[in-house]
Amino acid sequence: MSTAFPRPRVLVVAGTRPECLKLASVVQALRAEAALDTQLLNSGQHQDMVARTFGQLGMACDLDPGQISATSLSQALSALRAQVRAAARAQGSRLIVSQGDTSTAYAAALAARDLGLPLAHVEAGLRSGHPYRPFPEELFRRRIAPLAQLHFAPTERAAANLRGEGVADARIHQVGNSVIDLLRAQVEDPDPPALPFLPDTPRHIALTLHRRENYGRGLDQVCAAVLEILARHADIGVVCPVHPNPAVGSRIRRHLAGHARINLVEPLEYRPFIALLARACLAITDSGGIQEEAPYLGTPVLVVRENTERPESVALGAATLVPPRPERIVAETDRLLAAPPPARLPFAPGSAYGDGRSGERIARIIAAFLAADGSSC
Ligand code: UDP
């Protein structure tokens, strides 16, 4: 395992689609750091989705110990923690990188603690303002913070949240959001993907739903609102990539399948999804990442949730937060459809989620941290 001039090994852990999308540029930049030996681990949370999403981006995991089997959140955490710990131990990792607020992110933080390794947390400091909602994401974020040595905050507000919780200033690096790196590359791509799934209507809404907090009644309410919106606007269609979670998919299909102006499709690859979002007159969603991407595309977003950990988009006027109640959703949709679309944020350092160069910054800071760490040994 050790060589005459060992390069410190960095273990990057991903378990779900948004982690892949947000870690892609980080992994690419870490791999470009000659002083580091970077390995990408598929945690086994959504193993197929992770392999597929990285594959679509022309990337592959170095380590793939397999899909975990778990019937509860605590079992999943324990299994993921064991997989990350085993991988880091076997590879002699010197630092673990985790992203966001998933079970994988929290399990990786715990595994780092188990092994006494530093943790770098990408997208640190997001807070909804409620101690445990959305569940479990908010709980995970708050528990990861005390376990991290490097906090990569995407925004000024996220950095302030961390400072407010007592994290030392020197450990907080405001770097922008790495999902904007991928978005920037896509927007600059001169060859846009085909969109065969667009409805035959002048305008379309992009609809995505998947959060645990909307399971059941929340989904019923949003679907009822979507049907009412279509009844009021004959020129509008809907494209909805249906989340693979059966608790979500079966309910959405029950309400929306069969409508002439609604296309329910499989989860889309990133590039066609972004092209769909860019051309939509509105996004209705409970997703986190879409709240960050849509402002750079000039697409207004209706966020159907009780709260958001991305208040920056609301403050900009690019997103509207609405509880999942049909009359509110329909009223806000009417208002947004009548208003001019928000101005597109530029890919510039002053923009809410940064300039699309976060991955490079994160890699440089990790390399410097490990160089200093090594010299002090
Ligand atoms: N996305 C995608 N294909 C889809 C729907 C979404 O690639 O069919 C992307 C989207 O651009 C965003 C991310 O997936 O970057 C959001 O993932 P999700 O909503 O599942 O998770 P969250 O952001 O809420 O954690």
Side-chain angles (χ1 to χ4, degrees):
M1 197 161 66
S2 67
T3 62
F5 301 102
R7 293 183 297 156
R9 278 197 161 168
V10 173
L11 185 69
V12 183
V13 188
T16 64
R17 176 180 62 193
E19 287 165 85
C20 302
L21 298 175
K22 291 183 167 181
L23 285 169
S25 69
V26 177
V27 171
Q28 280 161 353
L30 282 168
R31 284 181 173 159
E33 286 284 340
L36 301 178
D37 178 7
T38 298
Q39 292 174 310
L40 178 54
L41 169 68
N42 184 339
S43 76
Q45 184 176 344
H46 297 161
Q47 187 209 15
D48 278 358
M49 183 64 118
V50 166
R52 212 173 328 131
T53 306
F54 278 125
Q56 289 160 1
L57 300 172
M59 299 171 67
C61 292
D62 305 287
L63 308 163
D64 192 343
Q67 174 65 42
I68 58 150
S69 136
T71 54
S72 69
L73 204 54
S74 59
Q75 272 179 16
L77 278 174
S78 151
L80 293 165
R81 180 179 186 170
Q83 299 234 102
V84 178
R85 199 169 45 212
R89 196 178 271 140
Q91 300 302 322
S93 309
R94 290 267 307 279
L95 178 142
I96 293 179
V97 180
S98 76
Q99 193 285 332
D101 51 24
T102 63
S103 299
T104 291
Y106 182 42
L110 292 169
R113 177 81 344 237
D114 292 340
L115 299 173
L117 293 174
L119 175 78
H121 187 213
V122 177
E123 203 181 41
L126 270 60
R127 298 292 181 266
S128 70
H130 189 283
Y132 54 84
R133 290 205 183 113
F135 180 84
E137 292 88 348
E138 184 72 14
L139 208 68
F140 289 161
R141 290 178 203 128
R142 290 180 185 225
R143 290 185 176 179
I144 292 169
L147 301 173
Q149 277 63 46
L150 292 172
H151 304 255
F152 293 113
T155 65
E156 179 49 48
R157 193 184 294 250
N161 289 338
L162 291 165
R163 280 195 290 273
E165 291 172 14
V167 177
D169 229 4
R171 294 182 166 198
I172 303 170
H173 303 274
Q174 193 192 321
V175 292
N177 195 307
S178 53
V179 81
I180 304 305
D181 301 17
L182 208 54
L183 188 67
R184 180 178 186 148
Q186 153 100 22
V187 167
E188 287 173 355
D189 183 351
D191 187 17
L195 302 179
F197 44 77
L198 282 189
D200 189 17
T201 49
R203 299 191 287 173
H204 68 266
I205 291 173
L207 172 70
T208 80
L209 297 165
H210 77 98
R211 307 291 282 215
R212 192 179 287 254
E213 69 214 80
N214 279 333
Y215 284 7
R217 191 171 152 71
L219 286 173
D220 294 344
Q221 305 263 308
V222 181
C223 290
V226 167
L227 293 172
E228 175 60 20
I229 291 162
L230 291 189
R232 294 159 78 102
H233 299 274
D235 65 328
I236 288 184
V238 170
V239 182
C240 175
V242 180
H243 200 270
N245 183 332
V248 177
S250 59
R251 227 165 175 110
I252 291 183
R253 283 193 195 89
R254 176 140 51 87
H255 290 296
L256 302 184
H259 191 292
R261 282 182 280 133
I262 300 181
N263 285 347
L264 301 180
V265 296
E266 292 299 308
L268 295 172
E269 290 191 24
Y270 178 76
R271 293 181 70 245
F273 180 74
I274 291 300
L276 165 75
L277 189 60
R279 288 173 56 179
C281 61
L282 177 70
I284 300 181
T285 188
D286 55 13
S287 159
I290 294 170
Q291 294 176 57
E292 295 152 350
E293 293 161 335
Y296 289 79
L297 299 170
T299 303
V301 190
L302 201 56
V303 182
V304 281
R305 289 176 46 182
E306 298 289 346
N307 60 21
T308 178
E309 56 297 281
R310 281 132 175 127
E312 293 87 351
S313 299
V314 178
L316 281 170
T320 304
L321 191 62
V322 66
R325 290 209 298 277
E327 67 288 356
R328 293 285 309 281
I329 297 171
V330 171
E332 288 299 335
T333 298
D334 283 349
R335 186 181 66 76
L336 289 169
L337 290 176
R344 289 168 64 145
L345 285 185
F347 293 98
S351 286
Y353 301 104
D355 60 354
R357 302 272 186 238
S358 310
E360 297 161 25
R361 292 187 190 101
I362 290 171
R364 274 199 304 272
I365 294 165
I366 288 177
F369 174 86
L370 285 172
D373 193 41
S375 64
S376 68
C377 288

